[in-house]
Amino acid sequence: MDIEEFRKRGYETVDRICKYYQELENYEVLSKVEPGYLKKVLPKEAPEEPEPWENIQCDIETKIIPGITHWQSPNFFAFYPANSSFPSILGDMYSDMFNVIGFNWLSSPACTELESVVLDWMGKLVGLDQKFHSDGRGGGVIQGTASEATLVTLLAAKYRMLEEYKAKGADEEKLRTLSTRLIAYGSDQTHICLKKATMIANILFRALPTDDNFSLCGETVKQEMEKDIANGLIPFFIVGTIGTTNSAAIDKITDIVDAIKGTNVWLHIDAAYAGSALICPEYKYLLEGINQADSFDLNMHKGLLTNFDCSCLWIKERKYLINALSITPDILKNSVSESGMVLDFRDWQISLGRRFRALKIWFVIRTYGAKGLREHVMKTHKLANRFRSKIQQYPDLFIIPTTPNFGLVNFYVKSNDSLKNSNKLTEMVSNRLNESGKIYLTQTKMREQYIIRFAPGSPLTTEKHIDQAFELLLKITQEVTVNYN
């Protein structure tokens, strides 16, 4: 494919992308293919000879699209949103054009410097303290996901804790022994990425119980830490969540800060979903505890119109992260890095290589402005509130069990008989909704109660889609309950 052929096919591809978004509402949201469908229709061996582009493009239509669950559909209400936008797509196109591997400053100065600039922009929009900005001892970095952010901050916290013992005279053998006594904490609602991070790092982990609102409280943290210390363990890391996966619950961050005061425990804030809300004045009240944390993470690919992957991590003291992850072979040594005048983001992440992801953030912020981003966040929350208000009009059918937070609505189908019957009805309704192909929702369990989660977020979603989703829910629920009884 030469330049002229690429130009032609590139125009065609952009046209097809536009057509996809124009027709997106008409697709069934959840793919209906059977497991192994693609293996049955594709050759068993790679082609020996080149194929015409027309054949490849045709296979997108006939083989790939049928196996796509349409995350950008206005009728996608599952998980948490994964926003896309045209400015972000264009940013990724430019990133693909340059195809730089931005492991250090010298490998492409613009890649590193633009990332620092846009992460400072975002940190200020969120309201993070000056200590999180790149012109001090901290700074921001783009991770692929919040899971990666959790892992690298856990490793930084481990490094910081062991350095404290090293400064007190612990030798290498003693440090290895101490490592086996380190323990990290989250709540029983914390994202599973924390458990996975402790598995990777071979660290002890304890999930702490939450209150009636599914929030982690400071008193619980303090009591559990005291028990573990009495048993010879070393608390060193805790995750507080703003917007948990199950219910968008908010941990008592200020109380957790008080609970760990005077210790060397690292507080990481996971705001992967709800962090986007902090750019809005309505949510600035959450910042008091957040700015006392050691690190903070939000996913722009969840609520801020930026295509996956784009998880923004800020850290107050970058030296711990860098020292925990830095290895410099001869091939990467250069005078600029050794001068200390630049950042090398390879030392802030697990992998060496990294894409030029700052471009899509730059394009998105400049295209929408802070005002446009705030409007999008509040729009999704208002749409969720619209759905919630409709649920509340039918108290004989539906129960909303959790405190409303941000843009998530949790509910279940009411049964006067038993929890078991309620769970059965709710599961049947959930399955019927998804089988319809008209909308897609996900479910969870909270203290044995089967829950349906409804989370709007697509820029294409309007009040019409919310109303249609509720009408479908109401129709299916009434049918299921009548037949069940």
Side-chain angles (χ1 to χ4, degrees):
M1 185 180 284
D2 60 19
I3 286 179
E4 290 308 315
E5 177 76 2
F6 173 74
R7 190 192 310 277
K8 177 183 177 181
R9 302 310 181 184
Y11 288 147
E12 291 174 359
T13 299
V14 170
D15 285 342
R16 184 60 187 90
I17 292 171
C18 293
K19 183 172 182 287
Y20 173 74
Y21 277 91
Q22 288 171 334
E23 298 175 346
L24 193 47
E25 187 173 356
N26 301 324
Y27 286 102
E28 288 196 348
V29 187
L30 187 62
S31 173
K32 297 293 182 65
V33 299
E34 297 292 331
Y37 90 99
L38 202 53
K39 202 169 185 178
K40 296 176 183 177
V41 297
L42 291 182
K44 297 189 182 302
E45 307 292 340
E48 184 67 29
E49 299 295 331
E51 295 185 46
W53 180 258
E54 288 82 358
N55 292 3
I56 300 171
Q57 178 60 45
C58 181
D59 281 349
I60 290 288
E61 307 294 333
T62 61
K63 296 180 175 63
I64 300 303
I65 288 182
I68 294 295
T69 291
H70 299 282
W71 283 68
Q72 305 312 313
S73 168
N75 297 308
F76 184 97
F77 305 114
F79 305 106
Y80 278 133
N83 293 165
S84 73
S85 69
F86 296 129
S88 182
I89 292 172
L90 293 173
D92 268 342
M93 289 172 67
Y94 274 105
S95 176
D96 289 341
M97 178 181 81
F98 296 126
N99 199 33
V100 302
I101 314 299
F103 43 77
N104 62 16
W105 181 89
L106 194 60
S107 66
S108 277
C111 182
T112 295
E113 296 201 7
L114 185 62
E115 187 160 334
S116 290
V117 169
V118 296
L119 265 291
D120 281 349
W121 283 4
M122 277 305 305
K124 291 172 184 176
L125 287 179
V126 167
L128 295 180
D129 190 274
Q130 182 68 30
K131 293 178 181 178
F132 286 104
H133 300 167
S134 64
D135 54 1
R137 296 188 300 187
V141 60
I142 305 172
Q143 303 285 336
T145 65
S147 298
E148 295 168 46
T150 300
L151 175 57
V152 298
T153 52
L154 180 135
L155 295 174
K158 176 183 177 182
Y159 176 87
R160 186 176 75 174
M161 181 60 78
L162 293 180
E163 281 295 293
E164 178 183 294
Y165 281 95
K166 190 175 180 180
K168 294 176 181 177
D171 58 19
E172 290 301 317
E173 184 177 349
K174 178 67 173 177
L175 292 176
R176 282 192 292 272
T177 301
L178 290 169
S179 293
T180 65
R181 293 162 50 196
L182 296 176
I183 184 167
Y185 303 96
S187 81
D188 53 22
Q189 301 298 308
T190 300
H191 193 276
I192 58 169
C193 69
L194 174 56
K195 174 65 174 175
K196 191 170 187 177
T198 58
M199 289 166 60
I200 293 170
N202 195 25
I203 294 291
L204 298 173
F205 167 70
R206 191 181 318 286
L208 307 180
T210 49
D211 65 11
D212 291 342
N213 291 319
F214 300 96
S215 302
L216 179 61
C217 301
E219 186 60 32
T220 301
V221 172
K222 185 176 181 181
Q223 290 175 1
E224 294 301 317
M225 283 177 48
E226 288 174 351
K227 289 179 187 176
D228 287 336
I229 292 170
N231 289 324
L233 299 180
I234 305 171
F236 82 106
F237 186 76
I238 187 166
V239 171
T241 306
I242 307 293
T244 58
T245 301
N246 278 340
S247 66
I250 304 168
D251 287 341
K252 306 290 179 58
I253 304 299
T254 53
D255 292 347
I256 295 172
V257 168
D258 290 340
I260 64 174
K261 191 172 293 182
T263 73
N264 200 21
V265 175
W266 183 294
L267 174 58
H268 174 65
I269 305 297
D270 178 357
Y273 162 61
S276 57
L278 293 173
I279 70 172
C280 304
E282 293 85 345
Y283 293 101
K284 293 297 185 186
Y285 70 92
L286 293 169
L287 281 168
E288 181 182 357
I290 288 172
N291 274 318
Q292 304 305 310
D294 295 284
S295 52
F296 174 86
D297 182 78
L298 69 81
N299 287 348
M300 287 192 69
H301 60 247
K302 276 193 169 73
L304 292 174
L305 300 170
T306 307
N307 289 45
F308 185 84
D309 55 0
C310 192
S311 189
C312 300
L313 169 66
W314 289 269
I315 192 163
K316 270 186 179 173
E317 292 279 353
R318 60 178 179 254
K319 67 178 182 181
Y320 298 117
L321 185 60
I322 294 170
N323 291 342
L325 298 176
S326 179
I327 298 177
T328 307
D330 289 339
I331 194 172
L332 295 180
K333 290 180 179 178
N334 64 85
S335 59
V336 183
S337 294
E338 291 171 2
S339 73
M341 297 174 63
V342 300
L343 299 176
D344 288 343
F345 281 132
R346 66 183 177 81
D347 296 329
W348 296 50
Q349 62 180 28
I350 298 300
S351 63
L352 175 64
R354 55 200 332 274
R355 296 172 57 243
F356 198 168
R357 288 176 292 205
L359 279 170
K360 58 187 173 186
I361 299 180
W362 195 41
F363 283 15
V364 165
I365 294 177
R366 294 179 66 190
T367 302
Y368 291 96
K371 178 183 177 183
L373 293 177
R374 292 187 189 105
E375 287 174 350
H376 173 69
V377 170
M378 295 310 298
K379 172 197 164 187
T380 62
H381 294 184
K382 288 175 182 176
L383 291 174
N385 287 335
R386 183 180 183 88
F387 186 82
R388 182 182 296 113
S389 68
K390 291 180 176 295
I391 290 279
Q392 291 170 332
Q393 293 172 20
Y394 292 84
D396 292 337
L397 277 181
F398 306 111
I399 299 292
I400 296 176
T402 56
T403 303
N405 286 317
F406 310 108
L408 174 68
V409 183
N410 280 355
F411 65 95
Y412 63 86
V413 181
K414 184 177 180 180
S415 172
N416 294 324
D417 298 325
S418 64
L419 173 66
K420 180 179 178 181
N421 284 346
S422 174
N423 283 349
K424 183 64 176 177
L425 286 169
T426 306
E427 185 176 13
M428 291 168 66
V429 168
S430 177
N431 291 340
R432 285 275 303 277
L433 286 168
N434 290 336
E435 288 165 3
S436 74
K438 295 178 180 178
I439 64 174
Y440 179 33
L441 306 97
T442 42
Q443 68 290 319
T444 189
K445 264 194 173 181
M446 301 183 70
R447 294 177 186 157
E448 303 308 315
Q449 177 68 60
Y450 196 102
I451 302 286
I452 297 176
R453 301 170 69 263
F454 183 92
S458 168
L460 302 176
T461 302
T462 65
E463 291 183 352
K464 177 190 77 171
H465 301 105
I466 299 298
D467 295 347
Q468 289 174 347
F470 179 76
E471 288 166 9
L472 180 64
L473 167 66
L474 184 61
K475 176 177 179 292
I476 287 177
T477 303
Q478 289 172 336
E479 292 173 355
V480 166
T481 52
V482 167
N483 293 333
Y484 188 77
N485 294 328

